[in-house]
Amino acid sequence: MNIAIYIYDDAEVLDFSGPYEVFSTAARIANQPDVFTPFLVAETLQPVTARAGYRVLPHHDVAKHPPIDVLLVVGGVHDAEMHKPAVIDWIRTQSVTAQHVASVCTGAFLLAKAGVIRDHTVTTHWEDIADLREMFPALTVLENQRWADAGSVTTSAGISAGIDMSLSLVRRFAGDALATATARKMEYDWRDTAA
């Protein structure tokens, strides 16, 4: 499965590096590199400056990338991304053909803006719950929830919760044994239930 992780300037570092580590570690443990192939996608191929000046090079841009099985949109300071029609249209278009769409933290705002989540049950970082409810009142926004599973869309709370959600996606697509082994390999205390 191709796991496309959308990043942008001022994205939260663990929002993308945590899920990337989960999927790449799962592939390594499975001894089947193509079980999960994570890659970073950005608006352009220019370096992205994430939070605290962390610079990273995307593998692909929105104009040219491999087919996407799972689209994961990360959070951070997302305001500028909300006002980029090309980015919002790309998220909307990819969500139609992807098997699954996910977000970490305030990535949920971008999914909502793109119309990927409309009346779904979702979550986001605790600091942003009130804003998400206000901006998108048709959503049911859960508090005190590590992630929210709405069928073909999964959203997670902030930062480290994206690791928990990603492990749950490994479990969904490749089984509990691989998800558990991945968490153990990462020496991560996986909260394997959403609440």
Side-chain angles (χ1 to χ4, degrees), residues 105-164:
C105 193
T106 56
F109 286 80
L110 298 176
L111 294 186
K113 178 77 173 184
V116 177
I117 51 176
R118 293 183 177 90
D119 57 359
H120 295 73
T121 298
V122 301
T123 194
T124 190
H125 191 283
W126 60 269
E127 287 183 321
D128 300 291
I129 285 174
D131 287 342
L132 188 60
R133 285 176 175 157
E134 182 180 341
M135 289 179 69
F136 302 99
L139 294 173
T140 300
V141 185
L142 302 178
E143 297 182 54
N144 302 313
Q145 191 89 3
R146 296 293 283 175
W147 73 90
D149 183 343
S152 62
V153 178
T154 307
T155 54
S156 76
I159 312 176
S160 67
I163 297 173
D164 293 316

Side-chain angles (χ1 to χ4, degrees), residues 146-147 164 167-168 171 176 179-180 189-195:
R146 296 293 283 175
W147 73 90
D164 293 316
L167 286 164
S168 79
R171 177 172 54 199
D176 188 62
T180 300
D189 185 15
W190 178 26
R191 299 183 193 180
D192 66 353
T193 58

Side-chain angles (χ1 to χ4, degrees), residues 19 22 29 38 47 64 66 81 138 158 179 181 189:
V22 168
I29 289 172
K64 187 175 180 183
E81 299 305 298
D189 185 15

Side-chain angles (χ1 to χ4, degrees), residues 5-19 48-52 54 74-78 104-106 125 127 158-160:
I5 302 173
Y6 181 71
I7 61 171
Y8 48 90
D9 285 342
D10 287 321
E12 191 68 54
V13 173
L14 198 58
D15 280 16
F16 61 86
S17 58
V48 169
T49 304
R51 296 294 291 266
Y54 189 98
V74 304
V77 183
H78 62 281
V104 180
C105 193
T106 56
H125 191 283
E127 287 183 321
I159 312 176
S160 67

